[in-house]
């Protein structure tokens, strides 16, 4: 018999079932609390050496002014394997779409076969906010009362909601390049039952105990002179070569933590301080080391701590894997056979 398909092993002939969780289902499945837990566990696994990210690919595609790329990795502990594909399309808002577009693809770590396709837009917002929230939980002063927000884009509301769960904040102060957008911060603060004040950067630094920066700036807005001792900063906007939210000198004065050191010094906030010789990779600590108890984190109430949140693929895989489990449990996932 010369029928090759008949000779093939049955397992090879069998279809592969892939779970699909569309973007529309994510809001009903993934909570900020679940995102926090997934990201916290990922940081800890990375610091133990149980999980690692692959090199990031991020390119301007020469069409629609878009940036497109891949983030991927593997967690040997949870067996999360996969990638997030997507980027930034600045013209999408005019089309009624989100400028940031992403999709997560998960693979079976035992066979390499695709196991899930998950809408990644909301998940990206939730995991980014969770990352800064984890840094606040482990690094901010316990008596922090004023939250400072720099940036009022779509992500800022997620950041504020996640941050206020970590300390007993009594007030939010905010600044944005475009003041007309500050209503988003004011509305979110009101939703959370907190007063909001629009301030200058000098006033923000003078008042805030915790500062979250979430802009797409290529020039620093927050200066070293603006930040007082004891502040914790979560710098979440710099994830590409050339971007910068804070003055490089601030990293020389602060104790700096990050999700992944290699990304921090090449495409994160630390890239500029390294280029100017103000700091080096050896001066930066993985946040997971604090979570695991192998690094003390903040050592005094006067110390400035900074989290350089570059965003790693393992965070995306962790929240996607969690949402796939929830979707299967609640019967809202679709399944197709490839």
């Amino acid at each position: 018999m010369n029928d090759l398909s008949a000779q093939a092993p049955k397992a090879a002939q069998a279809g592969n079932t892939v779970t699909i969780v569309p973007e529309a289902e994510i809001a009903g499945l993934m909570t900020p609390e679940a995102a926090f837990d997934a990201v916290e566990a990922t940081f800890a696994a990375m610091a133990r050496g149980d999980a690692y990210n692959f090199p990031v690919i991020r390119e301007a595609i020469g069409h629609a002014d878009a940036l497109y790329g891949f983030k991927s990795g593997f967690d040997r502990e949870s067996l999360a394997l996969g990638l997030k594909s997507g980027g930034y399309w600045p013209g999408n808002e005019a089309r009624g779409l989100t400028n940031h577009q992403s999709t997560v693809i998960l693979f079976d770590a035992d066979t390499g076969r695709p196991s899930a396709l998950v809408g990644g837009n909301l998940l990206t917002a939730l995991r980014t906010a969770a990352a800064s929230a984890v840094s606040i939980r482990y690094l901010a002063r316990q008596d922090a009362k004023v939250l400072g927000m720099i940036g009022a884009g779509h992500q800022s509301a997620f950041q504020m909601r996640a941050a206020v769960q970590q300390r007993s904040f009594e007030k939010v102060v905010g600044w944005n390049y475009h003041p007309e957008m500050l209503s988003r911060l004011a509305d979110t603060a009101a939703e959370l039952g907190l007063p909001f004040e629009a301030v200058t950067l000098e006033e923000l630094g003078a008042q805030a105990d915790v500062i979250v920066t979430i802009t797409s700036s290529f020039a620093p807005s927050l200066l070293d002179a603006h930040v007082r001792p004891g502040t914790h900063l979560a710098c979440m906007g710099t994830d590409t070569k050339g971007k910068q939210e804070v003055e490089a000198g601030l990293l020389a004065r602060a104790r700096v933590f990050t999700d992944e050191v290699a990304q921090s010094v090449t495409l994160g906030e630390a890239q500029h301080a390294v280029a100017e010789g103000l700091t080096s990779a050896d001066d930066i600590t993985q946040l997971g080391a604090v979570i695991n108890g192998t690094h003390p984190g903040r050592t005094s109430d006067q110390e400035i701590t900074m989290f350089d949140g570059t965003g790693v693929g393992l965070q995306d895989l962790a929240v996607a894997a969690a949402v796939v489990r929830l979707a299967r449990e609640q019967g809202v996932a679709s399944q197709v056979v490839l």
Side-chain angles (χ1 to χ4, degrees):
M1 184 177 181
N2 196 30
D3 186 346
L4 294 180
S5 63
Q7 298 175 31
K10 289 183 178 180
Q13 297 181 49
N16 178 45
T17 300
V18 177
T19 299
I20 298 177
V21 185
E23 184 70 38
E25 297 290 351
I26 303 298
L29 293 167
M30 177 55 58
T31 64
E33 293 77 16
F36 183 101
D37 292 342
V39 170
E40 181 184 41
T42 295
F43 284 152
M46 288 172 59
R48 290 194 302 269
D50 293 332
Y52 55 97
N53 295 283
F54 306 146
V56 174
I57 297 173
R58 188 172 174 87
E59 300 289 342
I61 65 173
H63 178 74
D65 292 326
L67 286 173
Y68 179 67
F70 301 90
K71 289 185 176 182
S72 58
F74 177 52
D75 187 331
R76 285 189 293 265
E77 185 174 292
S78 69
L79 298 183
L81 172 68
L83 60 89
K84 182 177 80 169
S85 171
Y88 183 74
W89 271 257
N92 273 4
E93 188 173 359
R95 298 184 175 94
L97 302 171
T98 301
N99 287 347
H100 289 89
Q101 292 291 323
S102 59
T103 303
V104 180
I105 306 173
L106 300 177
F107 297 87
D108 186 311
D110 294 320
T111 66
R113 301 175 104 186
S115 60
L117 185 68
V118 185
N121 294 345
L122 179 56
L123 284 182
T124 298
L126 289 170
R127 69 86 159 147
T128 305
S132 64
V134 172
S135 82
I136 293 169
R137 175 173 294 185
Y138 285 93
L139 297 174
R141 297 193 332 267
Q142 291 298 320
D143 64 349
K145 297 298 182 186
V146 179
L147 173 64
M149 297 291 305
I150 296 178
H154 175 72
Q155 176 70 44
S156 64
F158 293 92
Q159 291 288 332
M160 189 190 300
R161 293 186 191 111
V164 301
Q165 298 302 313
Q166 307 311 316
R167 292 293 185 271
S168 299
F169 291 111
E170 297 175 352
K171 180 182 179 181
V172 179
V173 294
W175 179 90
N176 191 57
Y177 282 102
H178 304 286
E180 67 274 12
M181 294 176 62
L182 286 171
S183 59
R184 176 179 277 117
L185 297 182
D187 291 346
T188 306
E191 164 198 318
L192 297 167
L194 292 171
F196 173 78
E197 181 183 359
V199 294
T200 66
L201 286 166
E202 292 83 357
E203 291 169 337
L204 187 145
Q207 293 190 48
D209 303 303
V210 173
I211 299 173
V212 176
T213 64
I214 186 66
T215 72
S216 55
S217 175
F218 282 80
S221 53
L222 188 68
L223 304 182
D224 184 19
H226 294 155
V227 180
R228 61 194 174 101
T231 304
H232 172 65
L233 300 101
C235 300
M236 306 304 297
T238 299
D239 58 0
T240 303
K241 288 183 179 180
K243 280 187 175 182
Q244 186 176 13
E245 297 192 287
V246 304
E247 188 176 21
L250 185 54
L251 279 80
R253 190 157 65 103
R255 185 179 293 273
V256 182
F257 300 82
T258 191
D259 36 29
E260 184 173 80
V261 175
Q263 286 192 186
S264 175
V265 300
T266 56
L267 53 80
E269 200 63 43
Q271 63 181 287
H272 307 284
V274 169
E276 294 179 26
L278 299 175
T279 192
S280 70
D282 293 337
D283 299 319
I284 302 171
T285 302
Q286 285 192 76
L287 180 57
V290 184
I291 297 169
N292 291 337
T294 58
H295 189 284
R298 171 179 291 277
T299 57
S300 77
D301 284 346
Q302 293 302 301
E303 188 173 43
I304 296 172
T305 55
M306 177 188 292
F307 174 62
D308 184 7
T310 64
V312 294
L314 285 168
Q315 296 172 3
D316 298 298
L317 304 186
V319 292
V323 87
V324 167
R325 287 193 297 271
L326 291 167
R328 288 171 176 165
E329 291 171 3
Q330 298 180 28
V332 297
S334 301
Q335 293 189 324
V336 298
V337 178
L338 297 182

